[in-house]
Structures are given as C-alpha cells and as structure tokens.
Amino acid sequence: QSALTQPASVSGSPGQSITISCTGTSSDVGGYNYVSWYQQHPGKAPKLMIYDVSNRPSGVSNRFSGSKSGNTASLTISGLQAEDEADYYCSSYTSSSTPVFGGGTKLTVL
Amino acid sequence: QLQLQESGPGLVKPSETLSLTCTVSSGSISSTAYYWGWIRQPPGKGLEWIGSIYYSGNTYYNPSLKSRITISVDTSKNQFSLKLTSVTAADTAVYYCARHSSLRSPLDPWGQGALVTVSS
C-alpha cells in the first residue's frame, strides 16, 4: 500500500489559480472515483474539502474543485486567498479495500 | 454536530503498548451508517490510515501495521479505542480519530488529535 504521489510544494499569488496533482495507480486513483482532498492548517486537524473526485461538502468554497484523469487526480484552487495557505492531502480507496493518503503538498500564498 | 475527542497517555516507553480512546459526542457510535477510524501523522510528515471499525465490531487494518494493532468499540460508552503494541520512536505521532460512511468514503469529521511520544 504505497502512498499516493503529490508535489512537495506549490505556490501562487493572491487571485491566481493553482493545481495540486495526486498520482496513483490503476489499483487506487485510476480504478475508483473515491478520491478525497483534505486541507490542514498548522496544528489543526485535516478538513475535508473534496470527496468522490469532484464533490464539495456543504460549506466549502466553490473556489475549490477536483477532477481526475487516468491515474492522476487534481485539486484546483481558484482566486487564491491568504487563508488557503495550508497543507493539502489527497486520499483514495484502493483495491485492498482500504484507503491510502498522499504525501501532502504545502501551498504557499506569495 | 458530531464531535470526536481523542484521549490517552502522551508518553509511552519503547516496546510498550500505546492505548488511545476516541469519545463520540452528539451522535451514536452504534449508528449502522458509519465506520470509525484512526489516522496518524508523525511530526512534520504526512497522514497514514491506521484502521477502522464498524459498530458491529468488524475491523479493517492497514496491512503494514496489522500485526500490532487492535481497534475495539464500546457502544455503552460511545467510544472506540486503539491499541498499538511494541512501539518504537517511529510510532511517535499525532493520532486522530474520525468517522466515515464506508471504507470508500471520506473521513469527516475528525477529532482534534492527540500527540503520543515514544521515549524512555
């Protein structure tokens, strides 16, 4: 059960859009539409931002969107704001009937 | 609104057993709709799913930790628990509990987390 691959860091200026990728295999990301994204601010618990590839929970800004192509899922944040600066983790269901997380991506708002 | 709270010793000696409890409030752990999970995060590192339990007691574990983990549920106390045996410094982490609708579903909500340090 290998961790999903995410870039260690991404950055963008306020108002811009950024995309964070999450690469797996056909046994996880590519095989199921069960990809979630979590936001984690320092010292805080993760917060669900996207589930089932592209669905937003109630209360999450529509600036956050998710997609998937093949074995890679993506989280896009548009209209970057200072409060978006955080760590982001993807997660996927796997063929082992268990979830797996990505290594995490640190988003810096310049 | 459902809330989860982790509790347990913050310091455990190497080779001993780490024990944590998650107390669920404003909701019943006996709900047939949900699974209850444990996730950990070593300092400065990423998230790792440890395992989950259904209210009936069926358990699902991370294969890499399976030999050392026991997750149990106490419906009378609205709690579920984690035991991790033979701990080493590599088990030092913030341990979170969370709820999910199934093993395919996202984890939401999460507890605030509990730091457990393994050190003599």
mmCIF file of all heavy atoms in Angstrom, chain A residues 18-71:
data_model
loop_
_atom_site.group_PDB
_atom_site.id
_atom_site.type_symbol
_atom_site.label_atom_id
_atom_site.label_comp_id
_atom_site.label_asym_id
_atom_site.label_seq_id
_atom_site.Cartn_x
_atom_site.Cartn_y
_atom_site.Cartn_z
ATOM 1 N N ILE A 18 -4.194 27.675 -8.692
ATOM 2 C CA ILE A 18 -3.156 26.660 -8.623
ATOM 3 C C ILE A 18 -3.803 25.282 -8.709
ATOM 4 O O ILE A 18 -4.981 25.121 -8.392
ATOM 5 C CB ILE A 18 -2.301 26.776 -7.340
ATOM 6 C CG1 ILE A 18 -3.147 26.525 -6.087
ATOM 7 C CG2 ILE A 18 -1.584 28.122 -7.266
ATOM 8 C CD1 ILE A 18 -3.140 25.103 -5.600
ATOM 9 N N THR A 19 -3.004 24.311 -9.121
ATOM 10 C CA THR A 19 -3.478 22.933 -9.189
ATOM 11 C C THR A 19 -2.468 22.027 -8.502
ATOM 12 O O THR A 19 -1.262 22.151 -8.716
ATOM 13 C CB THR A 19 -3.664 22.483 -10.643
ATOM 14 O OG1 THR A 19 -4.686 23.282 -11.251
ATOM 15 C CG2 THR A 19 -4.090 21.019 -10.704
ATOM 16 N N ILE A 20 -2.980 21.136 -7.654
ATOM 17 C CA ILE A 20 -2.158 20.148 -6.966
ATOM 18 C C ILE A 20 -2.502 18.778 -7.525
ATOM 19 O O ILE A 20 -3.683 18.409 -7.571
ATOM 20 C CB ILE A 20 -2.412 20.176 -5.446
ATOM 21 C CG1 ILE A 20 -2.051 21.557 -4.873
ATOM 22 C CG2 ILE A 20 -1.606 19.083 -4.753
ATOM 23 C CD1 ILE A 20 -2.469 21.733 -3.418
ATOM 24 N N SER A 21 -1.498 18.035 -7.934
ATOM 25 C CA SER A 21 -1.737 16.715 -8.511
ATOM 26 C C SER A 21 -1.551 15.614 -7.467
ATOM 27 O O SER A 21 -0.880 15.799 -6.451
ATOM 28 C CB SER A 21 -0.784 16.462 -9.687
ATOM 29 O OG SER A 21 0.559 16.503 -9.236
ATOM 30 N N CYS A 22 -2.161 14.489 -7.750
ATOM 31 C CA CYS A 22 -2.121 13.320 -6.858
ATOM 32 C C CYS A 22 -2.084 12.089 -7.760
ATOM 33 O O CYS A 22 -3.099 11.740 -8.369
ATOM 34 C CB CYS A 22 -3.352 13.334 -5.973
ATOM 35 S SG CYS A 22 -3.622 11.837 -4.991
ATOM 36 N N THR A 23 -0.922 11.465 -7.844
ATOM 37 C CA THR A 23 -0.751 10.368 -8.790
ATOM 38 C C THR A 23 -0.689 9.022 -8.085
ATOM 39 O O THR A 23 0.066 8.849 -7.124
ATOM 40 C CB THR A 23 0.526 10.572 -9.618
ATOM 41 O OG1 THR A 23 0.434 11.816 -10.318
ATOM 42 C CG2 THR A 23 0.703 9.445 -10.625
ATOM 43 N N GLY A 24 -1.487 8.112 -8.580
ATOM 44 C CA GLY A 24 -1.506 6.767 -8.041
ATOM 45 C C GLY A 24 -1.367 5.745 -9.146
ATOM 46 O O GLY A 24 -0.604 5.942 -10.083
ATOM 47 N N THR A 25 -2.123 4.679 -9.009
ATOM 48 C CA THR A 25 -2.096 3.598 -9.992
ATOM 49 C C THR A 25 -3.521 3.183 -10.337
ATOM 50 O O THR A 25 -4.491 3.738 -9.793
ATOM 51 C CB THR A 25 -1.345 2.378 -9.426
ATOM 52 O OG1 THR A 25 -2.133 1.815 -8.363
ATOM 53 C CG2 THR A 25 0.023 2.747 -8.879
ATOM 54 N N SER A 26 -3.631 2.192 -11.180
ATOM 55 C CA SER A 26 -4.956 1.676 -11.541
ATOM 56 C C SER A 26 -5.592 0.920 -10.382
ATOM 57 O O SER A 26 -6.779 0.599 -10.431
ATOM 58 C CB SER A 26 -4.847 0.748 -12.747
ATOM 59 O OG SER A 26 -3.956 -0.326 -12.478
ATOM 60 N N SER A 27 -4.800 0.662 -9.332
ATOM 61 C CA SER A 27 -5.323 -0.032 -8.145
ATOM 62 C C SER A 27 -5.881 0.932 -7.108
ATOM 63 O O SER A 27 -6.408 0.496 -6.079
ATOM 64 C CB SER A 27 -4.218 -0.880 -7.493
ATOM 65 O OG SER A 27 -3.807 -1.918 -8.350
ATOM 66 N N ASP A 28 -5.730 2.196 -7.350
ATOM 67 C CA ASP A 28 -6.305 3.169 -6.415
ATOM 68 C C ASP A 28 -6.951 4.318 -7.193
ATOM 69 O O ASP A 28 -8.094 4.192 -7.612
ATOM 70 C CB ASP A 28 -5.279 3.666 -5.393
ATOM 71 C CG ASP A 28 -3.871 3.861 -5.960
ATOM 72 O OD1 ASP A 28 -3.725 4.714 -6.855
ATOM 73 O OD2 ASP A 28 -2.943 3.184 -5.522
ATOM 74 N N VAL A 29 -6.236 5.399 -7.410
ATOM 75 C CA VAL A 29 -6.831 6.580 -8.049
ATOM 76 C C VAL A 29 -7.493 6.233 -9.383
ATOM 77 O O VAL A 29 -8.633 6.638 -9.656
ATOM 78 C CB VAL A 29 -5.766 7.673 -8.274
ATOM 79 C CG1 VAL A 29 -6.356 8.842 -9.070
ATOM 80 C CG2 VAL A 29 -5.220 8.171 -6.931
ATOM 81 N N GLY A 30 -6.792 5.482 -10.205
ATOM 82 C CA GLY A 30 -7.306 5.180 -11.533
ATOM 83 C C GLY A 30 -8.453 4.196 -11.558
ATOM 84 O O GLY A 30 -9.208 4.143 -12.533
ATOM 85 N N GLY A 31 -8.596 3.431 -10.503
ATOM 86 C CA GLY A 31 -9.580 2.369 -10.501
ATOM 87 C C GLY A 31 -10.917 2.713 -9.861
ATOM 88 O O GLY A 31 -11.894 1.976 -10.019
ATOM 89 N N TYR A 32 -10.952 3.831 -9.154
ATOM 90 C CA TYR A 32 -12.163 4.180 -8.405
ATOM 91 C C TYR A 32 -12.391 5.687 -8.417
ATOM 92 O O TYR A 32 -11.433 6.466 -8.447
ATOM 93 C CB TYR A 32 -12.041 3.729 -6.937
ATOM 94 C CG TYR A 32 -11.663 2.278 -6.772
ATOM 95 C CD1 TYR A 32 -10.327 1.911 -6.629
ATOM 96 C CD2 TYR A 32 -12.635 1.273 -6.762
ATOM 97 C CE1 TYR A 32 -9.969 0.582 -6.484
ATOM 98 C CE2 TYR A 32 -12.283 -0.049 -6.615
ATOM 99 C CZ TYR A 32 -10.944 -0.390 -6.477
ATOM 100 O OH TYR A 32 -10.594 -1.703 -6.326
ATOM 101 N N ASN A 33 -13.622 6.079 -8.324
ATOM 102 C CA ASN A 33 -13.957 7.507 -8.201
ATOM 103 C C ASN A 33 -14.164 7.872 -6.735
ATOM 104 O O ASN A 33 -15.151 8.501 -6.363
ATOM 105 C CB ASN A 33 -15.197 7.839 -9.024
ATOM 106 C CG ASN A 33 -14.904 7.809 -10.511
ATOM 107 O OD1 ASN A 33 -13.825 8.208 -10.949
ATOM 108 N ND2 ASN A 33 -15.855 7.324 -11.290
ATOM 109 N N TYR A 34 -13.206 7.426 -5.919
ATOM 110 C CA TYR A 34 -13.285 7.669 -4.480
ATOM 111 C C TYR A 34 -12.019 8.403 -4.030
ATOM 112 O O TYR A 34 -11.275 7.931 -3.179
ATOM 113 C CB TYR A 34 -13.454 6.364 -3.719
ATOM 114 C CG TYR A 34 -14.720 5.617 -4.064
ATOM 115 C CD1 TYR A 34 -14.671 4.323 -4.588
ATOM 116 C CD2 TYR A 34 -15.969 6.211 -3.872
ATOM 117 C CE1 TYR A 34 -15.839 3.644 -4.894
ATOM 118 C CE2 TYR A 34 -17.136 5.530 -4.189
ATOM 119 C CZ TYR A 34 -17.066 4.246 -4.707
ATOM 120 O OH TYR A 34 -18.212 3.583 -5.017
ATOM 121 N N VAL A 35 -11.795 9.556 -4.603
ATOM 122 C CA VAL A 35 -10.662 10.397 -4.234
ATOM 123 C C VAL A 35 -11.173 11.576 -3.405
ATOM 124 O O VAL A 35 -12.155 12.223 -3.760
ATOM 125 C CB VAL A 35 -9.922 10.940 -5.469
ATOM 126 C CG1 VAL A 35 -8.797 11.897 -5.049
ATOM 127 C CG2 VAL A 35 -9.361 9.788 -6.299
ATOM 128 N N SER A 36 -10.492 11.816 -2.295
ATOM 129 C CA SER A 36 -10.836 12.933 -1.415
ATOM 130 C C SER A 36 -9.633 13.849 -1.255
ATOM 131 O O SER A 36 -8.483 13.422 -1.445
ATOM 132 C CB SER A 36 -11.253 12.432 -0.028
ATOM 133 O OG SER A 36 -12.346 11.547 -0.107
ATOM 134 N N TRP A 37 -9.922 15.091 -0.906
ATOM 135 C CA TRP A 37 -8.864 16.066 -0.621
ATOM 136 C C TRP A 37 -9.126 16.705 0.732
ATOM 137 O O TRP A 37 -10.265 17.036 1.076
ATOM 138 C CB TRP A 37 -8.845 17.153 -1.690
ATOM 139 C CG TRP A 37 -8.344 16.686 -3.019
ATOM 140 C CD1 TRP A 37 -9.087 16.190 -4.055
ATOM 141 C CD2 TRP A 37 -6.988 16.679 -3.470
ATOM 142 N NE1 TRP A 37 -8.268 15.873 -5.116
ATOM 143 C CE2 TRP A 37 -6.975 16.173 -4.780
ATOM 144 C CE3 TRP A 37 -5.767 17.080 -2.907
ATOM 145 C CZ2 TRP A 37 -5.799 16.032 -5.527
ATOM 146 C CZ3 TRP A 37 -4.603 16.944 -3.638
ATOM 147 C CH2 TRP A 37 -4.627 16.427 -4.943
ATOM 148 N N TYR A 38 -8.037 16.882 1.498
ATOM 149 C CA TYR A 38 -8.118 17.470 2.830
ATOM 150 C C TYR A 38 -7.180 18.678 2.918
ATOM 151 O O TYR A 38 -6.079 18.663 2.358
ATOM 152 C CB TYR A 38 -7.723 16.460 3.897
ATOM 153 C CG TYR A 38 -8.590 15.221 3.914
ATOM 154 C CD1 TYR A 38 -8.295 14.128 3.099
ATOM 155 C CD2 TYR A 38 -9.713 15.146 4.731
ATOM 156 C CE1 TYR A 38 -9.097 12.999 3.097
ATOM 157 C CE2 TYR A 38 -10.526 14.012 4.736
ATOM 158 C CZ TYR A 38 -10.200 12.949 3.914
ATOM 159 O OH TYR A 38 -11.003 11.834 3.909
ATOM 160 N N GLN A 39 -7.627 19.676 3.663
ATOM 161 C CA GLN A 39 -6.831 20.865 3.948
ATOM 162 C C GLN A 39 -6.414 20.801 5.410
ATOM 163 O O GLN A 39 -7.245 20.506 6.268
ATOM 164 C CB GLN A 39 -7.661 22.129 3.703
ATOM 165 C CG GLN A 39 -6.981 23.430 4.057
ATOM 166 C CD GLN A 39 -7.980 24.590 4.059
ATOM 167 O OE1 GLN A 39 -8.908 24.636 4.859
ATOM 168 N NE2 GLN A 39 -7.801 25.517 3.131
ATOM 169 N N GLN A 40 -5.155 21.087 5.698
ATOM 170 C CA GLN A 40 -4.692 21.069 7.082
ATOM 171 C C GLN A 40 -3.851 22.303 7.383
ATOM 172 O O GLN A 40 -2.777 22.481 6.824
ATOM 173 C CB GLN A 40 -3.876 19.811 7.380
ATOM 174 C CG GLN A 40 -3.487 19.682 8.844
ATOM 175 C CD GLN A 40 -2.677 18.432 9.137
ATOM 176 O OE1 GLN A 40 -1.854 17.999 8.330
ATOM 177 N NE2 GLN A 40 -2.895 17.846 10.310
ATOM 178 N N HIS A 41 -4.361 23.123 8.262
ATOM 179 C CA HIS A 41 -3.584 24.263 8.746
ATOM 180 C C HIS A 41 -2.696 23.800 9.895
ATOM 181 O O HIS A 41 -3.003 22.809 10.571
ATOM 182 C CB HIS A 41 -4.513 25.389 9.198
ATOM 183 C CG HIS A 41 -5.163 26.114 8.053
ATOM 184 N ND1 HIS A 41 -6.508 26.021 7.761
ATOM 185 C CD2 HIS A 41 -4.638 26.948 7.119
ATOM 186 C CE1 HIS A 41 -6.787 26.773 6.706
ATOM 187 N NE2 HIS A 41 -5.673 27.338 6.290
ATOM 188 N N PRO A 42 -1.582 24.509 10.138
ATOM 189 C CA PRO A 42 -0.630 24.075 11.184
ATOM 190 C C PRO A 42 -1.300 23.877 12.538
ATOM 191 O O PRO A 42 -2.052 24.736 13.005
ATOM 192 C CB PRO A 42 0.370 25.238 11.223
ATOM 193 C CG PRO A 42 0.333 25.809 9.852
ATOM 194 C CD PRO A 42 -1.102 25.693 9.416
ATOM 195 N N GLY A 43 -1.032 22.732 13.133
ATOM 196 C CA GLY A 43 -1.561 22.437 14.452
ATOM 197 C C GLY A 43 -3.031 22.084 14.493
ATOM 198 O O GLY A 43 -3.595 21.916 15.582
ATOM 199 N N LYS A 44 -3.653 21.956 13.329
ATOM 200 C CA LYS A 44 -5.079 21.655 13.261
ATOM 201 C C LYS A 44 -5.327 20.295 12.626
ATOM 202 O O LYS A 44 -4.463 19.740 11.961
ATOM 203 C CB LYS A 44 -5.808 22.721 12.442
ATOM 204 C CG LYS A 44 -5.678 24.121 13.005
ATOM 205 C CD LYS A 44 -6.363 24.248 14.350
ATOM 206 C CE LYS A 44 -6.365 25.687 14.837
ATOM 207 N NZ LYS A 44 -7.018 25.819 16.181
ATOM 208 N N ALA A 45 -6.530 19.778 12.838
ATOM 209 C CA ALA A 45 -6.923 18.529 12.203
ATOM 210 C C ALA A 45 -7.246 18.776 10.728
ATOM 211 O O ALA A 45 -7.642 19.883 10.348
ATOM 212 C CB ALA A 45 -8.137 17.953 12.912
ATOM 213 N N PRO A 46 -7.063 17.766 9.895
ATOM 214 C CA PRO A 46 -7.458 17.901 8.485
ATOM 215 C C PRO A 46 -8.940 18.201 8.348
ATOM 216 O O PRO A 46 -9.751 17.765 9.160
ATOM 217 C CB PRO A 46 -7.110 16.529 7.901
ATOM 218 C CG PRO A 46 -6.035 15.990 8.795
ATOM 219 C CD PRO A 46 -6.418 16.475 10.166
ATOM 220 N N LYS A 47 -9.261 18.928 7.281
ATOM 221 C CA LYS A 47 -10.642 19.286 6.962
ATOM 222 C C LYS A 47 -10.952 18.798 5.554
ATOM 223 O O LYS A 47 -10.192 19.036 4.624
ATOM 224 C CB LYS A 47 -10.831 20.804 7.030
ATOM 225 C CG LYS A 47 -12.205 21.278 6.564
ATOM 226 C CD LYS A 47 -12.258 22.797 6.469
ATOM 227 C CE LYS A 47 -13.592 23.282 5.896
ATOM 228 N NZ LYS A 47 -13.624 24.751 5.709
ATOM 229 N N LEU A 48 -12.074 18.106 5.407
ATOM 230 C CA LEU A 48 -12.478 17.593 4.103
ATOM 231 C C LEU A 48 -12.879 18.733 3.179
ATOM 232 O O LEU A 48 -13.726 19.552 3.530
ATOM 233 C CB LEU A 48 -13.650 16.622 4.275
ATOM 234 C CG LEU A 48 -14.226 16.019 2.990
ATOM 235 C CD1 LEU A 48 -13.209 15.108 2.327
ATOM 236 C CD2 LEU A 48 -15.505 15.248 3.306
ATOM 237 N N MET A 49 -12.274 18.750 1.986
ATOM 238 C CA MET A 49 -12.566 19.806 1.005
ATOM 239 C C MET A 49 -13.257 19.270 -0.247
ATOM 240 O O MET A 49 -14.080 19.964 -0.846
ATOM 241 C CB MET A 49 -11.262 20.501 0.593
ATOM 242 C CG MET A 49 -10.447 21.057 1.749
ATOM 243 S SD MET A 49 -11.362 22.261 2.736
ATOM 244 C CE MET A 49 -11.298 23.679 1.656
ATOM 245 N N ILE A 50 -12.904 18.071 -0.658
ATOM 246 C CA ILE A 50 -13.471 17.443 -1.858
ATOM 247 C C ILE A 50 -13.616 15.947 -1.585
ATOM 248 O O ILE A 50 -12.741 15.339 -0.959
ATOM 249 C CB ILE A 50 -12.550 17.636 -3.089
ATOM 250 C CG1 ILE A 50 -12.426 19.115 -3.474
ATOM 251 C CG2 ILE A 50 -13.043 16.800 -4.278
ATOM 252 C CD1 ILE A 50 -13.657 19.705 -4.125
ATOM 253 N N TYR A 51 -14.715 15.356 -2.051
ATOM 254 C CA TYR A 51 -14.871 13.906 -1.946
ATOM 255 C C TYR A 51 -15.424 13.352 -3.253
ATOM 256 O O TYR A 51 -15.995 14.089 -4.055
ATOM 257 C CB TYR A 51 -15.773 13.533 -0.757
ATOM 258 C CG TYR A 51 -17.223 13.950 -0.912
ATOM 259 C CD1 TYR A 51 -18.174 13.064 -1.388
ATOM 260 C CD2 TYR A 51 -17.633 15.241 -0.581
ATOM 261 C CE1 TYR A 51 -19.499 13.443 -1.533
ATOM 262 C CE2 TYR A 51 -18.951 15.637 -0.717
ATOM 263 C CZ TYR A 51 -19.880 14.728 -1.193
ATOM 264 O OH TYR A 51 -21.190 15.115 -1.337
ATOM 265 N N ASP A 52 -15.220 12.044 -3.434
ATOM 266 C CA ASP A 52 -15.668 11.387 -4.671
ATOM 267 C C ASP A 52 -15.214 12.170 -5.904
ATOM 268 O O ASP A 52 -16.017 12.443 -6.808
ATOM 269 C CB ASP A 52 -17.186 11.214 -4.660
ATOM 270 C CG ASP A 52 -17.663 10.258 -3.578
ATOM 271 O OD1 ASP A 52 -16.796 9.627 -2.934
ATOM 272 O OD2 ASP A 52 -18.873 10.148 -3.370
ATOM 273 N N VAL A 53 -13.951 12.510 -5.925
ATOM 274 C CA VAL A 53 -13.234 13.199 -7.015
ATOM 275 C C VAL A 53 -13.569 14.680 -7.128
ATOM 276 O O VAL A 53 -12.663 15.513 -7.216
ATOM 277 C CB VAL A 53 -13.485 12.513 -8.385
ATOM 278 C CG1 VAL A 53 -12.825 13.312 -9.515
ATOM 279 C CG2 VAL A 53 -12.970 11.085 -8.373
ATOM 280 N N SER A 54 -14.863 15.009 -7.151
ATOM 281 C CA SER A 54 -15.204 16.387 -7.514
ATOM 282 C C SER A 54 -16.348 16.996 -6.714
ATOM 283 O O SER A 54 -16.835 18.068 -7.074
ATOM 284 C CB SER A 54 -15.575 16.438 -9.013
ATOM 285 O OG SER A 54 -16.671 15.584 -9.273
ATOM 286 N N ASN A 55 -16.773 16.348 -5.664
ATOM 287 C CA ASN A 55 -17.887 16.866 -4.873
ATOM 288 C C ASN A 55 -17.399 17.688 -3.684
ATOM 289 O O ASN A 55 -16.447 17.294 -3.004
ATOM 290 C CB ASN A 55 -18.765 15.712 -4.375
ATOM 291 C CG ASN A 55 -19.478 15.008 -5.513
ATOM 292 O OD1 ASN A 55 -20.180 15.639 -6.295
ATOM 293 N ND2 ASN A 55 -19.271 13.712 -5.629
ATOM 294 N N ARG A 56 -18.064 18.807 -3.456
ATOM 295 C CA ARG A 56 -17.720 19.669 -2.324
ATOM 296 C C ARG A 56 -18.708 19.475 -1.189
ATOM 297 O O ARG A 56 -19.929 19.534 -1.412
ATOM 298 C CB ARG A 56 -17.765 21.155 -2.722
ATOM 299 C CG ARG A 56 -16.510 21.726 -3.330
ATOM 300 C CD ARG A 56 -16.643 23.238 -3.472
ATOM 301 N NE ARG A 56 -17.910 23.624 -4.070
ATOM 302 C CZ ARG A 56 -18.145 23.674 -5.360
ATOM 303 N NH1 ARG A 56 -17.174 23.340 -6.203
ATOM 304 N NH2 ARG A 56 -19.333 24.044 -5.819
ATOM 305 N N PRO A 57 -18.200 19.272 0.039
ATOM 306 C CA PRO A 57 -19.116 19.237 1.191
ATOM 307 C C PRO A 57 -19.768 20.605 1.377
ATOM 308 O O PRO A 57 -19.222 21.632 0.956
ATOM 309 C CB PRO A 57 -18.193 18.905 2.369
ATOM 310 C CG PRO A 57 -16.953 18.343 1.757
ATOM 311 C CD PRO A 57 -16.817 19.011 0.431
ATOM 312 N N SER A 58 -20.902 20.586 2.051
ATOM 313 C CA SER A 58 -21.571 21.839 2.363
ATOM 314 C C SER A 58 -20.627 22.750 3.148
ATOM 315 O O SER A 58 -19.950 22.315 4.071
ATOM 316 C CB SER A 58 -22.823 21.543 3.196
ATOM 317 O OG SER A 58 -23.427 22.717 3.634
ATOM 318 N N GLY A 59 -20.573 24.006 2.752
ATOM 319 C CA GLY A 59 -19.759 24.977 3.461
ATOM 320 C C GLY A 59 -18.384 25.210 2.880
ATOM 321 O O GLY A 59 -17.699 26.174 3.257
ATOM 322 N N VAL A 60 -17.961 24.355 1.969
ATOM 323 C CA VAL A 60 -16.653 24.536 1.324
ATOM 324 C C VAL A 60 -16.812 25.471 0.125
ATOM 325 O O VAL A 60 -17.715 25.288 -0.697
ATOM 326 C CB VAL A 60 -16.056 23.191 0.885
ATOM 327 C CG1 VAL A 60 -14.793 23.404 0.044
ATOM 328 C CG2 VAL A 60 -15.723 22.337 2.107
ATOM 329 N N SER A 61 -15.917 26.422 0.033
ATOM 330 C CA SER A 61 -15.987 27.420 -1.033
ATOM 331 C C SER A 61 -15.946 26.778 -2.418
ATOM 332 O O SER A 61 -15.218 25.791 -2.641
ATOM 333 C CB SER A 61 -14.818 28.398 -0.902
ATOM 334 O OG SER A 61 -14.727 29.238 -2.028
ATOM 335 N N ASN A 62 -16.704 27.357 -3.346
ATOM 336 C CA ASN A 62 -16.680 26.836 -4.724
ATOM 337 C C ASN A 62 -15.399 27.225 -5.460
ATOM 338 O O ASN A 62 -15.239 26.936 -6.653
ATOM 339 C CB ASN A 62 -17.916 27.296 -5.502
ATOM 340 C CG ASN A 62 -18.041 28.806 -5.585
ATOM 341 O OD1 ASN A 62 -17.113 29.544 -5.222
ATOM 342 N ND2 ASN A 62 -19.187 29.277 -6.057
ATOM 343 N N ARG A 63 -14.488 27.872 -4.765
ATOM 344 C CA ARG A 63 -13.161 28.124 -5.348
ATOM 345 C C ARG A 63 -12.337 26.830 -5.398
ATOM 346 O O ARG A 63 -11.327 26.768 -6.087
ATOM 347 C CB ARG A 63 -12.400 29.167 -4.534
ATOM 348 C CG ARG A 63 -13.061 30.536 -4.499
ATOM 349 C CD ARG A 63 -12.189 31.565 -3.810
ATOM 350 N NE ARG A 63 -11.916 31.254 -2.411
ATOM 351 C CZ ARG A 63 -10.766 30.796 -1.957
ATOM 352 N NH1 ARG A 63 -9.743 30.588 -2.788
ATOM 353 N NH2 ARG A 63 -10.594 30.544 -0.660
ATOM 354 N N PHE A 64 -12.797 25.828 -4.651
ATOM 355 C CA PHE A 64 -12.111 24.538 -4.614
ATOM 356 C C PHE A 64 -12.841 23.568 -5.559
ATOM 357 O O PHE A 64 -14.051 23.403 -5.461
ATOM 358 C CB PHE A 64 -12.093 23.970 -3.197
ATOM 359 C CG PHE A 64 -11.233 24.736 -2.253
ATOM 360 C CD1 PHE A 64 -11.692 25.894 -1.640
ATOM 361 C CD2 PHE A 64 -9.934 24.315 -1.982
ATOM 362 C CE1 PHE A 64 -10.889 26.620 -0.773
ATOM 363 C CE2 PHE A 64 -9.122 25.032 -1.108
ATOM 364 C CZ PHE A 64 -9.599 26.182 -0.507
ATOM 365 N N SER A 65 -12.068 22.925 -6.430
ATOM 366 C CA SER A 65 -12.667 21.959 -7.336
ATOM 367 C C SER A 65 -11.709 20.787 -7.547
ATOM 368 O O SER A 65 -10.498 20.921 -7.399
ATOM 369 C CB SER A 65 -13.014 22.605 -8.685
ATOM 370 O OG SER A 65 -11.845 23.083 -9.320
ATOM 371 N N GLY A 66 -12.289 19.633 -7.876
ATOM 372 C CA GLY A 66 -11.487 18.434 -8.077
ATOM 373 C C GLY A 66 -11.801 17.765 -9.399
ATOM 374 O O GLY A 66 -12.902 17.915 -9.935
ATOM 375 N N SER A 67 -10.823 17.028 -9.905
ATOM 376 C CA SER A 67 -11.003 16.304 -11.153
ATOM 377 C C SER A 67 -10.073 15.099 -11.168
ATOM 378 O O SER A 67 -9.228 14.931 -10.278
ATOM 379 C CB SER A 67 -10.727 17.209 -12.356
ATOM 380 O OG SER A 67 -9.378 17.650 -12.334
ATOM 381 N N LYS A 68 -10.249 14.262 -12.191
ATOM 382 C CA LYS A 68 -9.385 13.084 -12.310
ATOM 383 C C LYS A 68 -9.230 12.732 -13.783
ATOM 384 O O LYS A 68 -10.188 12.813 -14.558
ATOM 385 C CB LYS A 68 -9.993 11.901 -11.550
ATOM 386 C CG LYS A 68 -9.063 10.701 -11.397
ATOM 387 C CD LYS A 68 -9.767 9.524 -10.750
ATOM 388 C CE LYS A 68 -10.523 8.700 -11.789
ATOM 389 N NZ LYS A 68 -10.948 7.374 -11.260
ATOM 390 N N SER A 69 -8.020 12.309 -14.126
ATOM 391 C CA SER A 69 -7.755 11.793 -15.463
ATOM 392 C C SER A 69 -6.793 10.624 -15.323
ATOM 393 O O SER A 69 -5.658 10.804 -14.859
ATOM 394 C CB SER A 69 -7.137 12.876 -16.360
ATOM 395 O OG SER A 69 -6.839 12.352 -17.640
ATOM 396 N N GLY A 70 -7.253 9.458 -15.691
ATOM 397 C CA GLY A 70 -6.420 8.274 -15.549
ATOM 398 C C GLY A 70 -6.045 8.022 -14.100
ATOM 399 O O GLY A 70 -6.914 7.972 -13.227
ATOM 400 N N ASN A 71 -4.759 7.884 -13.847
ATOM 401 C CA ASN A 71 -4.277 7.589 -12.502
ATOM 402 C C ASN A 71 -3.936 8.836 -11.691
ATOM 403 O O ASN A 71 -3.346 8.731 -10.610
ATOM 404 C CB ASN A 71 -3.039 6.694 -12.573
ATOM 405 C CG ASN A 71 -3.330 5.319 -13.149
ATOM 406 O OD1 ASN A 71 -4.470 4.858 -13.120
ATOM 407 N ND2 ASN A 71 -2.312 4.680 -13.708
#
